[in-house]
Short mmCIF file of all heavy atoms in Angstrom, two decimals:
data_model
loop_
_atom_site.label_atom_id
_atom_site.label_comp_id
_atom_site.label_asym_id
_atom_site.label_seq_id
_atom_site.Cartn_x
_atom_site.Cartn_y
_atom_site.Cartn_z
N ASP M 568 229.24 30.53 -176.06
CA ASP M 568 229.97 31.54 -176.81
C ASP M 568 231.43 31.14 -177.03
O ASP M 568 232.14 30.83 -176.04
CB ASP M 568 229.89 32.87 -176.09
CG ASP M 568 230.36 34.04 -176.94
OD1 ASP M 568 231.58 34.20 -177.05
OD2 ASP M 568 229.52 34.77 -177.50
N ALA M 569 231.86 31.18 -178.29
CA ALA M 569 233.24 30.74 -178.62
C ALA M 569 234.29 31.65 -177.98
O ALA M 569 235.40 31.21 -177.64
CB ALA M 569 233.42 30.68 -180.11
N ARG M 570 233.97 32.94 -177.80
CA ARG M 570 234.95 33.87 -177.20
C ARG M 570 235.22 33.50 -175.73
O ARG M 570 236.37 33.58 -175.28
CB ARG M 570 234.41 35.31 -177.28
CG ARG M 570 234.35 35.84 -178.71
CD ARG M 570 233.50 37.09 -178.85
NE ARG M 570 232.06 36.74 -178.65
CZ ARG M 570 231.06 37.60 -178.85
NH1 ARG M 570 231.33 38.86 -179.23
NH2 ARG M 570 229.80 37.23 -178.68
N ILE M 571 234.18 33.08 -175.02
CA ILE M 571 234.38 32.68 -173.64
C ILE M 571 235.15 31.35 -173.61
O ILE M 571 236.10 31.17 -172.81
CB ILE M 571 233.03 32.53 -172.94
CG1 ILE M 571 232.37 33.90 -172.83
CG2 ILE M 571 233.18 31.88 -171.55
CD1 ILE M 571 230.94 33.87 -172.30
N ARG M 572 234.79 30.44 -174.49
CA ARG M 572 235.50 29.15 -174.58
C ARG M 572 237.01 29.41 -174.80
O ARG M 572 237.86 28.82 -174.11
CB ARG M 572 234.98 28.31 -175.73
CG ARG M 572 235.72 27.00 -175.98
CD ARG M 572 235.43 26.47 -177.35
NE ARG M 572 235.91 27.42 -178.39
CZ ARG M 572 235.51 27.42 -179.65
NH1 ARG M 572 234.59 26.53 -180.06
NH2 ARG M 572 235.99 28.31 -180.52
N ASP M 573 237.32 30.27 -175.74
CA ASP M 573 238.75 30.50 -176.07
C ASP M 573 239.51 31.10 -174.89
O ASP M 573 240.65 30.73 -174.63
CB ASP M 573 238.83 31.44 -177.29
CG ASP M 573 238.33 30.79 -178.57
OD1 ASP M 573 238.12 29.55 -178.57
OD2 ASP M 573 238.09 31.54 -179.54
N ALA M 574 238.84 32.03 -174.16
CA ALA M 574 239.52 32.67 -173.03
C ALA M 574 239.81 31.66 -171.93
O ALA M 574 240.89 31.68 -171.32
CB ALA M 574 238.65 33.83 -172.51
N VAL M 575 238.84 30.80 -171.63
CA VAL M 575 239.01 29.83 -170.56
C VAL M 575 240.05 28.77 -170.97
O VAL M 575 240.93 28.40 -170.15
CB VAL M 575 237.68 29.19 -170.20
CG1 VAL M 575 237.89 28.06 -169.18
CG2 VAL M 575 236.71 30.23 -169.66
N GLU M 576 239.97 28.31 -172.18
CA GLU M 576 240.93 27.30 -172.62
C GLU M 576 242.35 27.82 -172.64
O GLU M 576 243.33 27.10 -172.39
CB GLU M 576 240.52 26.71 -173.99
CG GLU M 576 239.26 25.83 -173.89
CD GLU M 576 238.90 25.18 -175.23
OE1 GLU M 576 239.39 25.67 -176.26
OE2 GLU M 576 238.11 24.22 -175.23
N ALA M 577 242.49 29.11 -172.97
CA ALA M 577 243.81 29.72 -172.99
C ALA M 577 244.41 29.74 -171.59
O ALA M 577 245.64 29.70 -171.45
CB ALA M 577 243.74 31.16 -173.53
N ALA M 578 243.58 29.75 -170.57
CA ALA M 578 244.07 29.73 -169.20
C ALA M 578 244.26 28.32 -168.66
O ALA M 578 244.70 28.12 -167.54
CB ALA M 578 243.09 30.49 -168.28
N GLY M 579 243.89 27.32 -169.49
CA GLY M 579 244.07 25.93 -169.11
C GLY M 579 242.80 25.31 -168.56
O GLY M 579 242.85 24.18 -168.01
N GLY M 580 241.64 25.98 -168.69
CA GLY M 580 240.41 25.47 -168.15
C GLY M 580 239.65 24.54 -169.06
O GLY M 580 239.87 24.53 -170.29
N GLU M 581 238.75 23.76 -168.48
CA GLU M 581 237.89 22.87 -169.26
C GLU M 581 236.56 23.57 -169.59
O GLU M 581 235.93 24.22 -168.72
CB GLU M 581 237.56 21.61 -168.46
CG GLU M 581 236.68 20.61 -169.20
CD GLU M 581 236.38 19.36 -168.37
OE1 GLU M 581 236.83 19.27 -167.23
OE2 GLU M 581 235.67 18.44 -168.90
#
Side-chain angles (χ1 to χ4, degrees):
D568 192 280
R570 292 164 290 188
I571 295 172
R572 176 199 63 199
D573 293 346
V575 174
E576 288 184 343
E581 180 181 2

